[in-house]
Amino acid sequence: MDLDLSRDAAALTADLVDVPSVSGDEQALADAIAGALAGLPHLTTRRDGNAVVARTDLGRPQRVILAGHLDTVPLAGNLPSHTEGGMLYGCGSCDMKSGVAVQLRLAHQLAGPSRDVTYVFYDCEEVEAERNGLLRLSRNAPELLRGDLAVLLEPTGCMIEGGCQGTMRAEVTARGARAHSARYWRGRNAIHGAGDIIDVLRSYQPREPEVDGLVYHEGLNAVGIAGGVASNVIPDECVVTVNFRFAPDRTVEQAAEHVRALFSGFDVQITDAAPGARPGLTDRAAAALLAAVGGTPRAKLGWTDVARFAVAGLPAVNYGPGDPELAHSAGEHVQLAQIAECEAKLLAWLTA
Amino acid sequence: MDLDLSRDAAALTADLVDVPSVSGDEQALADAIAGALAGLPHLTTRRDGNAVVARTDLGRPQRVILAGHLDTVPLAGNLPSHTEGGMLYGCGSCDMKSGVAVQLRLAHQLAGPSRDVTYVFYDCEEVEAERNGLLRLSRNAPELLRGDLAVLLEPTGCMIEGGCQGTMRAEVTARGARAHSARYWRGRNAIHGAGDIIDVLRSYQPREPEVDGLVYHEGLNAVGIAGGVASNVIPDECVVTVNFRFAPDRTVEQAAEHVRALFSGFDVQITDAAPGARPGLTDRAAAALLAAVGGTPRAKLGWTDVARFAVAGLPAVNYGPGDPELAHSAGEHVQLAQIAECEAKLLAWLTA
């Protein structure tokens, strides 16, 4: 199919929504986008699987990345799209084909932006990390992800959400000794011992540090617990799975050290970790973005793909049309006015 | 096959061991026992599936039950039996064909015992309770299990072990409210809440009451714990499985009331319960047994089939040859001298 990038962003969003692109099945949409961008002489386009990267190369002193994912969660009887009362309904309308439409509109219009721009469209954001197209790009062509600031056009209700917190999963194990439960004193109950792990969690005082002008909110929580051998056996092992959400002023290593110190009497295995991302709002490129967008930026507490840019040293923010609470719902929709607002503000930023 | 009940108890034990009778596969052994008992004119024999019951009916003022199970745990390369250094080795030698041999020897010799005797041989003791042959007998022919005292010839090393403790399983549930773990303060962590359940367990002071002259030892322990939704979700439920072992001076209902009171702030489901059994050692029949056997009786802390007699109002004890610690092991064996001792002492009791 052919995409007409000269249509307004709301109409373009509807066109994108009507090309189904559930994770793993993005090829038709990636082909359409690559085809449309190939017709723009001011851009150089690269393809990597179902990811598409288009760049200006004007020798500007700064380069910004505008990124968005093409995939959606599975359909829920919510295609084709329809417009009603100033809203566009349909799978992906909010998360995040309206953001992708804004990217495409900017790519179409900005033959000579004030900053060099890299437009990144990628696949498989809604599924397990190993399939993530942005992760694959960062391995296959890291040079394409270089720049001074990244903007991920995920739905934020047209608010700047800066950086993101890191996340870490650890298994904290209490050990004991098995015995028959009728003679429990011959053993040592590991579940009772795990009470000490829970005590640490219950009394934990999380930090709320300010990083680059935004306030984060850490958290340390049990997200799983398992123990038990049989109903007549004193258990010799109880594993508490702990999730630590940490502000972007800690590295993964520092976060791990903190968790190990908290549970120093126990066996601690870090089973998963993803770094946070500083918002970088005090940097020059981000400050100009903030000025163009207005409003009060807030810290992103959940982990998002902005952290993949942070690994490469780029500060990154989320900024896009759509209410994030509506993402993944069957009634998913987006205000048409927010699509237009987002396009206008980014256009103003990139032409100032 | 034919069993010769005139052989000595050690030889008879070897004969029994050499008829494999893993739970569910007791028919050959039950047939052999029923056949041998049918030749004894002083006994009336009844068959119920793979259980065999034989009784004297001499109008004695007291009736005692001698009971044993025919089944064994699965073979472990430990058949046929062999004798070495005064020990008989083989599957079931200890648990509990040596006890069954003593029952058969007594049945053979005691044409006119001082107390009427009911010999009970039953199937499926080593598997789930619903298949237990003694339970089935108590439903199909409760009149066969009436009497003044029951002796279960399980291995006790020729010590009287009196009664047994009751056992109860309860699921104690802490509830909370789900939230994304990056914004944990919007939820309430049920695993952290389960810390209060563990606090009750950790601070519990178990009773050690004396019942009919024996000291029991109660215990309240977590034997399982489970909670968790996903690694980024504050869990809304955590279930602690608690095992309460209670002395036979509490009924099941009283034990349940005690557990509910301890965890009064939580949802408590009693998922399984089995009553204890008083040892009845102060009763006349048991006192005479004690005098014949000698030694210091001890309380049975684990749950055993003696409780099935207690339900019918009979006190019951365990008394038999073999070290209970060897039960279910591949190297299972029994001291030949203990088989002879057990036979001699029970013979003395039932002829005095």
Side-chain angles (χ1 to χ4, degrees), chain A residues 169 181 184 189 192 196 199 202 206 221-222 225 227-228 231 243 245, chain B residues 169 181 184 189 192 196 199 202 206 221-223 225 227-228 231 243 245:
Chain A
R169 198 165 62 227
S181 64
Y184 67 89
N189 195 316
H192 297 195
D196 291 340
D199 286 346
R202 289 195 286 189
N221 270 278
I225 189 166
S231 65
N243 181 228
R245 299 281 171 159
Chain B
R169 198 166 61 226
S181 65
Y184 67 90
N189 195 316
H192 297 194
D196 291 340
D199 286 347
R202 289 195 286 189
N221 270 279
V223 291
I225 190 166
S231 66
N243 181 229
R245 299 280 172 162

PDB file of all heavy atoms in Angstrom, chain A residues 169 181 184 189 192 196 199 202 206 221-222 225 227-228 231 243 245, chain B residues 169 181 184 189 192 196 199 202 206 221-223 225 227-228 231 243 245:
ATOM      1  N   ARG A 169      15.582  -7.402  39.212  1.00  0.00           N
ATOM      2  CA  ARG A 169      14.904  -8.486  39.914  1.00  0.00           C
ATOM      3  C   ARG A 169      15.972  -9.321  40.601  1.00  0.00           C
ATOM      4  O   ARG A 169      17.009  -9.619  39.992  1.00  0.00           O
ATOM      5  CB  ARG A 169      14.125  -9.343  38.923  1.00  0.00           C
ATOM      6  CG  ARG A 169      13.081 -10.197  39.571  1.00  0.00           C
ATOM      7  CD  ARG A 169      12.095 -10.762  38.559  1.00  0.00           C
ATOM      8  NE  ARG A 169      12.750 -11.613  37.601  1.00  0.00           N
ATOM      9  CZ  ARG A 169      12.560 -11.548  36.287  1.00  0.00           C
ATOM     10  NH1 ARG A 169      11.737 -10.650  35.774  1.00  0.00           N
ATOM     11  NH2 ARG A 169      13.184 -12.362  35.477  1.00  0.00           N
ATOM     12  N   SER A 181       7.345 -32.574  59.979  1.00  0.00           N
ATOM     13  CA  SER A 181       6.703 -31.475  60.701  1.00  0.00           C
ATOM     14  C   SER A 181       6.168 -31.908  62.066  1.00  0.00           C
ATOM     15  O   SER A 181       5.860 -31.058  62.903  1.00  0.00           O
ATOM     16  CB  SER A 181       5.587 -30.846  59.860  1.00  0.00           C
ATOM     17  OG  SER A 181       4.551 -31.768  59.629  1.00  0.00           O
ATOM     18  N   TYR A 184       9.305 -30.917  64.332  1.00  0.00           N
ATOM     19  CA  TYR A 184       9.829 -29.740  63.634  1.00  0.00           C
ATOM     20  C   TYR A 184      11.124 -29.221  64.241  1.00  0.00           C
ATOM     21  O   TYR A 184      11.938 -28.598  63.558  1.00  0.00           O
ATOM     22  CB  TYR A 184       8.765 -28.629  63.625  1.00  0.00           C
ATOM     23  CG  TYR A 184       8.493 -28.077  64.999  1.00  0.00           C
ATOM     24  CD1 TYR A 184       9.234 -27.002  65.493  1.00  0.00           C
ATOM     25  CD2 TYR A 184       7.542 -28.650  65.825  1.00  0.00           C
ATOM     26  CE1 TYR A 184       9.010 -26.524  66.766  1.00  0.00           C
ATOM     27  CE2 TYR A 184       7.305 -28.190  67.086  1.00  0.00           C
ATOM     28  CZ  TYR A 184       8.052 -27.113  67.565  1.00  0.00           C
ATOM     29  OH  TYR A 184       7.850 -26.654  68.833  1.00  0.00           O
ATOM     30  N   ASN A 189      12.965 -23.968  59.907  1.00  0.00           N
ATOM     31  CA  ASN A 189      11.942 -23.619  58.918  1.00  0.00           C
ATOM     32  C   ASN A 189      12.365 -22.411  58.064  1.00  0.00           C
ATOM     33  O   ASN A 189      12.461 -21.288  58.559  1.00  0.00           O
ATOM     34  CB  ASN A 189      10.625 -23.331  59.638  1.00  0.00           C
ATOM     35  CG  ASN A 189       9.453 -23.320  58.678  1.00  0.00           C
ATOM     36  OD1 ASN A 189       9.535 -22.749  57.601  1.00  0.00           O
ATOM     37  ND2 ASN A 189       8.368 -23.959  59.068  1.00  0.00           N
ATOM     38  N   HIS A 192       9.769 -19.551  57.852  1.00  0.00           N
ATOM     39  CA  HIS A 192       9.839 -18.672  59.028  1.00  0.00           C
ATOM     40  C   HIS A 192      11.067 -17.763  58.906  1.00  0.00           C
ATOM     41  O   HIS A 192      11.012 -16.578  59.242  1.00  0.00           O
ATOM     42  CB  HIS A 192       9.904 -19.488  60.313  1.00  0.00           C
ATOM     43  CG  HIS A 192       8.684 -20.341  60.572  1.00  0.00           C
ATOM     44  ND1 HIS A 192       8.400 -20.905  61.781  1.00  0.00           N
ATOM     45  CD2 HIS A 192       7.660 -20.727  59.747  1.00  0.00           C
ATOM     46  CE1 HIS A 192       7.265 -21.617  61.711  1.00  0.00           C
ATOM     47  NE2 HIS A 192       6.812 -21.524  60.482  1.00  0.00           N
ATOM     48  N   ASP A 196      12.494 -12.654  58.027  1.00  0.00           N
ATOM     49  CA  ASP A 196      13.518 -11.608  58.136  1.00  0.00           C
ATOM     50  C   ASP A 196      13.675 -10.846  56.820  1.00  0.00           C
ATOM     51  O   ASP A 196      13.973  -9.650  56.811  1.00  0.00           O
ATOM     52  CB  ASP A 196      14.869 -12.218  58.535  1.00  0.00           C
ATOM     53  CG  ASP A 196      14.859 -12.740  59.973  1.00  0.00           C
ATOM     54  OD1 ASP A 196      13.990 -12.309  60.759  1.00  0.00           O
ATOM     55  OD2 ASP A 196      15.731 -13.567  60.294  1.00  0.00           O
ATOM     56  N   ASP A 199      10.792  -8.568  56.679  1.00  0.00           N
ATOM     57  CA  ASP A 199      11.006  -7.451  57.608  1.00  0.00           C
ATOM     58  C   ASP A 199      11.824  -6.340  56.941  1.00  0.00           C
ATOM     59  O   ASP A 199      11.535  -5.150  57.117  1.00  0.00           O
ATOM     60  CB  ASP A 199      11.732  -7.935  58.873  1.00  0.00           C
ATOM     61  CG  ASP A 199      10.803  -8.735  59.798  1.00  0.00           C
ATOM     62  OD1 ASP A 199       9.570  -8.684  59.603  1.00  0.00           O
ATOM     63  OD2 ASP A 199      11.323  -9.396  60.714  1.00  0.00           O
ATOM     64  N   ARG A 202       9.493  -4.557  54.567  1.00  0.00           N
ATOM     65  CA  ARG A 202       8.460  -3.763  55.230  1.00  0.00           C
ATOM     66  C   ARG A 202       9.014  -2.484  55.837  1.00  0.00           C
ATOM     67  O   ARG A 202       8.311  -1.495  55.962  1.00  0.00           O
ATOM     68  CB  ARG A 202       7.778  -4.585  56.326  1.00  0.00           C
ATOM     69  CG  ARG A 202       6.898  -5.682  55.769  1.00  0.00           C
ATOM     70  CD  ARG A 202       5.957  -6.227  56.825  1.00  0.00           C
ATOM     71  NE  ARG A 202       6.635  -7.075  57.816  1.00  0.00           N
ATOM     72  CZ  ARG A 202       5.998  -7.812  58.734  1.00  0.00           C
ATOM     73  NH1 ARG A 202       4.671  -7.765  58.801  1.00  0.00           N
ATOM     74  NH2 ARG A 202       6.658  -8.579  59.576  1.00  0.00           N
ATOM     75  N   PRO A 206      12.254   4.094  50.933  1.00  0.00           N
ATOM     76  CA  PRO A 206      12.761   4.384  49.586  1.00  0.00           C
ATOM     77  C   PRO A 206      13.162   5.853  49.424  1.00  0.00           C
ATOM     78  O   PRO A 206      12.550   6.759  50.003  1.00  0.00           O
ATOM     79  CB  PRO A 206      11.574   4.033  48.689  1.00  0.00           C
ATOM     80  CG  PRO A 206      10.386   4.116  49.560  1.00  0.00           C
ATOM     81  CD  PRO A 206      10.820   3.796  50.956  1.00  0.00           C
ATOM     82  N   ASN A 221      10.175  -4.066  46.451  1.00  0.00           N
ATOM     83  CA  ASN A 221       8.994  -4.862  46.753  1.00  0.00           C
ATOM     84  C   ASN A 221       9.192  -6.331  46.457  1.00  0.00           C
ATOM     85  O   ASN A 221       9.831  -6.690  45.471  1.00  0.00           O
ATOM     86  CB  ASN A 221       7.818  -4.380  45.886  1.00  0.00           C
ATOM     87  CG  ASN A 221       7.035  -3.291  46.588  1.00  0.00           C
ATOM     88  OD1 ASN A 221       6.194  -3.584  47.427  1.00  0.00           O
ATOM     89  ND2 ASN A 221       7.351  -2.054  46.266  1.00  0.00           N
ATOM     90  N   ALA A 222       8.580  -7.155  47.292  1.00  0.00           N
ATOM     91  CA  ALA A 222       8.438  -8.564  46.951  1.00  0.00           C
ATOM     92  C   ALA A 222       7.417  -8.654  45.831  1.00  0.00           C
ATOM     93  O   ALA A 222       6.349  -8.050  45.899  1.00  0.00           O
ATOM     94  CB  ALA A 222       7.955  -9.372  48.146  1.00  0.00           C
ATOM     95  N   ILE A 225       6.917 -15.073  45.997  1.00  0.00           N
ATOM     96  CA  ILE A 225       7.501 -15.845  47.097  1.00  0.00           C
ATOM     97  C   ILE A 225       7.113 -17.295  46.879  1.00  0.00           C
ATOM     98  O   ILE A 225       6.005 -17.589  46.424  1.00  0.00           O
ATOM     99  CB  ILE A 225       7.037 -15.331  48.473  1.00  0.00           C
ATOM    100  CG1 ILE A 225       7.816 -15.986  49.617  1.00  0.00           C
ATOM    101  CG2 ILE A 225       5.539 -15.555  48.669  1.00  0.00           C
ATOM    102  CD1 ILE A 225       7.651 -15.275  50.963  1.00  0.00           C
ATOM    103  N   GLY A 227       7.941 -21.369  48.590  1.00  0.00           N
ATOM    104  CA  GLY A 227       8.636 -22.266  49.500  1.00  0.00           C
ATOM    105  C   GLY A 227       7.722 -23.413  49.840  1.00  0.00           C
ATOM    106  O   GLY A 227       6.502 -23.292  49.729  1.00  0.00           O
ATOM    107  N   GLY A 228       8.316 -24.536  50.218  1.00  0.00           N
ATOM    108  CA  GLY A 228       7.504 -25.672  50.633  1.00  0.00           C
ATOM    109  C   GLY A 228       7.901 -26.933  49.906  1.00  0.00           C
ATOM    110  O   GLY A 228       8.180 -26.897  48.706  1.00  0.00           O
ATOM    111  N   SER A 231       3.315 -31.214  52.668  1.00  0.00           N
ATOM    112  CA  SER A 231       2.551 -30.655  53.782  1.00  0.00           C
ATOM    113  C   SER A 231       2.977 -31.228  55.129  1.00  0.00           C
ATOM    114  O   SER A 231       2.509 -30.765  56.153  1.00  0.00           O
ATOM    115  CB  SER A 231       1.055 -30.870  53.558  1.00  0.00           C
ATOM    116  OG  SER A 231       0.764 -32.242  53.569  1.00  0.00           O
ATOM    117  N   ASN A 243      11.669  -6.971  43.509  1.00  0.00           N
ATOM    118  CA  ASN A 243      11.824  -6.024  42.401  1.00  0.00           C
ATOM    119  C   ASN A 243      12.278  -4.682  42.971  1.00  0.00           C
ATOM    120  O   ASN A 243      11.624  -4.122  43.840  1.00  0.00           O
ATOM    121  CB  ASN A 243      10.488  -5.872  41.666  1.00  0.00           C
ATOM    122  CG  ASN A 243      10.579  -4.914  40.477  1.00  0.00           C
ATOM    123  OD1 ASN A 243       9.739  -4.029  40.329  1.00  0.00           O
ATOM    124  ND2 ASN A 243      11.588  -5.040  39.651  1.00  0.00           N
ATOM    125  N   ARG A 245      13.080  -0.888  41.964  1.00  0.00           N
ATOM    126  CA  ARG A 245      12.972   0.196  40.979  1.00  0.00           C
ATOM    127  C   ARG A 245      13.873   1.306  41.473  1.00  0.00           C
ATOM    128  O   ARG A 245      13.672   1.810  42.587  1.00  0.00           O
ATOM    129  CB  ARG A 245      11.527   0.697  40.913  1.00  0.00           C
ATOM    130  CG  ARG A 245      10.532  -0.359  40.478  1.00  0.00           C
ATOM    131  CD  ARG A 245      10.566  -0.529  38.985  1.00  0.00           C
ATOM    132  NE  ARG A 245       9.796  -1.673  38.544  1.00  0.00           N
ATOM    133  CZ  ARG A 245       9.346  -1.806  37.297  1.00  0.00           C
ATOM    134  NH1 ARG A 245       9.598  -0.881  36.384  1.00  0.00           N
ATOM    135  NH2 ARG A 245       8.665  -2.881  36.958  1.00  0.00           N
TER     136      ARG A 245
ATOM    137  N   ARG B 169      -4.154 -29.088  58.175  1.00  0.00           N
ATOM    138  CA  ARG B 169      -3.528 -28.165  57.224  1.00  0.00           C
ATOM    139  C   ARG B 169      -4.499 -27.012  57.001  1.00  0.00           C
ATOM    140  O   ARG B 169      -5.699 -27.251  56.805  1.00  0.00           O
ATOM    141  CB  ARG B 169      -3.229 -28.884  55.920  1.00  0.00           C
ATOM    142  CG  ARG B 169      -2.231 -28.169  55.052  1.00  0.00           C
ATOM    143  CD  ARG B 169      -1.706 -29.051  53.940  1.00  0.00           C
ATOM    144  NE  ARG B 169      -2.771 -29.482  53.061  1.00  0.00           N
ATOM    145  CZ  ARG B 169      -2.929 -30.730  52.639  1.00  0.00           C
ATOM    146  NH1 ARG B 169      -2.115 -31.674  53.027  1.00  0.00           N
ATOM    147  NH2 ARG B 169      -3.918 -31.030  51.832  1.00  0.00           N
ATOM    148  N   SER B 181       4.585  -2.219  39.842  1.00  0.00           N
ATOM    149  CA  SER B 181       5.601  -2.102  40.894  1.00  0.00           C
ATOM    150  C   SER B 181       6.401  -0.808  40.802  1.00  0.00           C
ATOM    151  O   SER B 181       7.088  -0.446  41.752  1.00  0.00           O
ATOM    152  CB  SER B 181       6.537  -3.321  40.879  1.00  0.00           C
ATOM    153  OG  SER B 181       7.285  -3.374  39.683  1.00  0.00           O
ATOM    154  N   TYR B 184       4.308   1.450  43.313  1.00  0.00           N
ATOM    155  CA  TYR B 184       3.823   0.473  44.304  1.00  0.00           C
ATOM    156  C   TYR B 184       2.858   1.079  45.314  1.00  0.00           C
ATOM    157  O   TYR B 184       2.029   0.375  45.874  1.00  0.00           O
ATOM    158  CB  TYR B 184       5.023  -0.143  45.025  1.00  0.00           C
ATOM    159  CG  TYR B 184       5.767   0.841  45.878  1.00  0.00           C
ATOM    160  CD1 TYR B 184       5.413   1.014  47.212  1.00  0.00           C
ATOM    161  CD2 TYR B 184       6.791   1.625  45.357  1.00  0.00           C
ATOM    162  CE1 TYR B 184       6.080   1.940  47.988  1.00  0.00           C
ATOM    163  CE2 TYR B 184       7.453   2.539  46.113  1.00  0.00           C
ATOM    164  CZ  TYR B 184       7.095   2.703  47.436  1.00  0.00           C
ATOM    165  OH  TYR B 184       7.728   3.635  48.200  1.00  0.00           O
ATOM    166  N   ASN B 189       0.926  -4.505  49.193  1.00  0.00           N
ATOM    167  CA  ASN B 189       1.669  -5.732  48.901  1.00  0.00           C
ATOM    168  C   ASN B 189       1.260  -6.881  49.829  1.00  0.00           C
ATOM    169  O   ASN B 189       1.518  -6.850  51.035  1.00  0.00           O
ATOM    170  CB  ASN B 189       3.171  -5.453  49.015  1.00  0.00           C
ATOM    171  CG  ASN B 189       4.008  -6.548  48.384  1.00  0.00           C
ATOM    172  OD1 ASN B 189       3.745  -7.729  48.563  1.00  0.00           O
ATOM    173  ND2 ASN B 189       5.013  -6.162  47.619  1.00  0.00           N
ATOM    174  N   HIS B 192       4.206  -8.658  51.609  1.00  0.00           N
ATOM    175  CA  HIS B 192       4.638  -7.930  52.802  1.00  0.00           C
ATOM    176  C   HIS B 192       3.619  -8.167  53.924  1.00  0.00           C
ATOM    177  O   HIS B 192       3.982  -8.334  55.092  1.00  0.00           O
ATOM    178  CB  HIS B 192       4.773  -6.439  52.507  1.00  0.00           C
ATOM    179  CG  HIS B 192       5.828  -6.114  51.479  1.00  0.00           C
ATOM    180  ND1 HIS B 192       6.317  -4.852  51.270  1.00  0.00           N
ATOM    181  CD2 HIS B 192       6.487  -6.909  50.584  1.00  0.00           C
ATOM    182  CE1 HIS B 192       7.228  -4.876  50.293  1.00  0.00           C
ATOM    183  NE2 HIS B 192       7.342  -6.109  49.868  1.00  0.00           N
ATOM    184  N   ASP B 196       2.992 -10.636  58.658  1.00  0.00           N
ATOM    185  CA  ASP B 196       2.261 -10.749  59.930  1.00  0.00           C
ATOM    186  C   ASP B 196       1.896 -12.202  60.237  1.00  0.00           C
ATOM    187  O   ASP B 196       1.855 -12.604  61.398  1.00  0.00           O
ATOM    188  CB  ASP B 196       0.983  -9.904  59.887  1.00  0.00           C
ATOM    189  CG  ASP B 196       1.294  -8.402  59.882  1.00  0.00           C
ATOM    190  OD1 ASP B 196       2.415  -8.020  60.283  1.00  0.00           O
ATOM    191  OD2 ASP B 196       0.412  -7.620  59.481  1.00  0.00           O
ATOM    192  N   ASP B 199       5.001 -13.745  61.448  1.00  0.00           N
ATOM    193  CA  ASP B 199       5.283 -13.305  62.819  1.00  0.00           C
ATOM    194  C   ASP B 199       4.547 -14.173  63.837  1.00  0.00           C
ATOM    195  O   ASP B 199       5.101 -14.527  64.887  1.00  0.00           O
ATOM    196  CB  ASP B 199       4.874 -11.834  62.995  1.00  0.00           C
ATOM    197  CG  ASP B 199       5.846 -10.876  62.312  1.00  0.00           C
ATOM    198  OD1 ASP B 199       6.954 -11.318  61.931  1.00  0.00           O
ATOM    199  OD2 ASP B 199       5.496  -9.689  62.156  1.00  0.00           O
ATOM    200  N   ARG B 202       6.408 -17.425  64.003  1.00  0.00           N
ATOM    201  CA  ARG B 202       7.714 -17.335  64.647  1.00  0.00           C
ATOM    202  C   ARG B 202       7.605 -17.196  66.165  1.00  0.00           C
ATOM    203  O   ARG B 202       8.500 -17.587  66.897  1.00  0.00           O
ATOM    204  CB  ARG B 202       8.514 -16.154  64.079  1.00  0.00           C
ATOM    205  CG  ARG B 202       8.981 -16.380  62.656  1.00  0.00           C
ATOM    206  CD  ARG B 202      10.054 -15.396  62.242  1.00  0.00           C
ATOM    207  NE  ARG B 202       9.522 -14.064  61.991  1.00  0.00           N
ATOM    208  CZ  ARG B 202      10.239 -13.079  61.451  1.00  0.00           C
ATOM    209  NH1 ARG B 202      11.498 -13.284  61.124  1.00  0.00           N
ATOM    210  NH2 ARG B 202       9.701 -11.905  61.241  1.00  0.00           N
ATOM    211  N   PRO B 206       4.455 -23.537  71.435  1.00  0.00           N
ATOM    212  CA  PRO B 206       3.661 -24.773  71.406  1.00  0.00           C
ATOM    213  C   PRO B 206       3.522 -25.409  72.791  1.00  0.00           C
ATOM    214  O   PRO B 206       4.434 -25.337  73.609  1.00  0.00           O
ATOM    215  CB  PRO B 206       4.451 -25.678  70.465  1.00  0.00           C
ATOM    216  CG  PRO B 206       5.830 -25.152  70.486  1.00  0.00           C
ATOM    217  CD  PRO B 206       5.762 -23.691  70.772  1.00  0.00           C
ATOM    218  N   ASN B 221       3.588 -24.836  62.017  1.00  0.00           N
ATOM    219  CA  ASN B 221       4.637 -24.487  61.064  1.00  0.00           C
ATOM    220  C   ASN B 221       4.093 -24.152  59.691  1.00  0.00           C
ATOM    221  O   ASN B 221       3.140 -24.786  59.229  1.00  0.00           O
ATOM    222  CB  ASN B 221       5.587 -25.675  60.892  1.00  0.00           C
ATOM    223  CG  ASN B 221       6.714 -25.621  61.885  1.00  0.00           C
ATOM    224  OD1 ASN B 221       7.689 -24.903  61.665  1.00  0.00           O
ATOM    225  ND2 ASN B 221       6.563 -26.323  62.994  1.00  0.00           N
ATOM    226  N   ALA B 222       4.745 -23.195  59.050  1.00  0.00           N
ATOM    227  CA  ALA B 222       4.504 -22.997  57.620  1.00  0.00           C
ATOM    228  C   ALA B 222       5.135 -24.167  56.893  1.00  0.00           C
ATOM    229  O   ALA B 222       6.282 -24.531  57.152  1.00  0.00           O
ATOM    230  CB  ALA B 222       5.125 -21.689  57.146  1.00  0.00           C
ATOM    231  N   VAL B 223       4.389 -24.788  55.992  1.00  0.00           N
ATOM    232  CA  VAL B 223       4.950 -25.846  55.148  1.00  0.00           C
ATOM    233  C   VAL B 223       4.879 -25.460  53.675  1.00  0.00           C
ATOM    234  O   VAL B 223       5.334 -26.204  52.807  1.00  0.00           O
ATOM    235  CB  VAL B 223       4.241 -27.197  55.383  1.00  0.00           C
ATOM    236  CG1 VAL B 223       4.573 -27.740  56.761  1.00  0.00           C
ATOM    237  CG2 VAL B 223       2.733 -27.063  55.201  1.00  0.00           C
ATOM    238  N   ILE B 225       4.417 -21.642  51.002  1.00  0.00           N
ATOM    239  CA  ILE B 225       4.041 -20.235  50.824  1.00  0.00           C
ATOM    240  C   ILE B 225       4.067 -19.944  49.339  1.00  0.00           C
ATOM    241  O   ILE B 225       4.927 -20.466  48.612  1.00  0.00           O
ATOM    242  CB  ILE B 225       4.970 -19.285  51.612  1.00  0.00           C
ATOM    243  CG1 ILE B 225       4.428 -17.846  51.613  1.00  0.00           C
ATOM    244  CG2 ILE B 225       6.396 -19.322  51.065  1.00  0.00           C
ATOM    245  CD1 ILE B 225       5.100 -16.934  52.643  1.00  0.00           C
ATOM    246  N   GLY B 227       3.000 -16.691  46.454  1.00  0.00           N
ATOM    247  CA  GLY B 227       2.421 -15.401  46.132  1.00  0.00           C
ATOM    248  C   GLY B 227       3.150 -14.825  44.948  1.00  0.00           C
ATOM    249  O   GLY B 227       4.300 -15.200  44.681  1.00  0.00           O
ATOM    250  N   GLY B 228       2.481 -13.917  44.215  1.00  0.00           N
ATOM    251  CA  GLY B 228       3.141 -13.276  43.100  1.00  0.00           C
ATOM    252  C   GLY B 228       2.335 -13.392  41.829  1.00  0.00           C
ATOM    253  O   GLY B 228       1.754 -14.435  41.542  1.00  0.00           O
ATOM    254  N   SER B 231       6.603 -10.125  37.575  1.00  0.00           N
ATOM    255  CA  SER B 231       7.746  -9.476  38.220  1.00  0.00           C
ATOM    256  C   SER B 231       7.615  -7.962  38.271  1.00  0.00           C
ATOM    257  O   SER B 231       8.431  -7.295  38.881  1.00  0.00           O
ATOM    258  CB  SER B 231       9.041  -9.893  37.538  1.00  0.00           C
ATOM    259  OG  SER B 231       9.070  -9.405  36.227  1.00  0.00           O
ATOM    260  N   ASN B 243       0.808 -26.095  58.850  1.00  0.00           N
ATOM    261  CA  ASN B 243       0.528 -27.431  59.382  1.00  0.00           C
ATOM    262  C   ASN B 243       0.518 -27.344  60.908  1.00  0.00           C
ATOM    263  O   ASN B 243       1.475 -26.896  61.519  1.00  0.00           O
ATOM    264  CB  ASN B 243       1.614 -28.412  58.907  1.00  0.00           C
ATOM    265  CG  ASN B 243       1.377 -29.837  59.418  1.00  0.00           C
ATOM    266  OD1 ASN B 243       2.283 -30.469  59.943  1.00  0.00           O
ATOM    267  ND2 ASN B 243       0.169 -30.346  59.290  1.00  0.00           N
ATOM    268  N   ARG B 245       0.222 -29.578  64.238  1.00  0.00           N
ATOM    269  CA  ARG B 245       0.249 -30.904  64.859  1.00  0.00           C
ATOM    270  C   ARG B 245      -0.250 -30.711  66.279  1.00  0.00           C
ATOM    271  O   ARG B 245       0.343 -29.942  67.033  1.00  0.00           O
ATOM    272  CB  ARG B 245       1.679 -31.447  64.878  1.00  0.00           C
ATOM    273  CG  ARG B 245       2.290 -31.605  63.510  1.00  0.00           C
ATOM    274  CD  ARG B 245       1.796 -32.887  62.875  1.00  0.00           C
ATOM    275  NE  ARG B 245       2.219 -32.984  61.485  1.00  0.00           N
ATOM    276  CZ  ARG B 245       2.229 -34.140  60.826  1.00  0.00           C
ATOM    277  NH1 ARG B 245       1.857 -35.267  61.414  1.00  0.00           N
ATOM    278  NH2 ARG B 245       2.581 -34.155  59.564  1.00  0.00           N
TER     279      ARG B 245
END
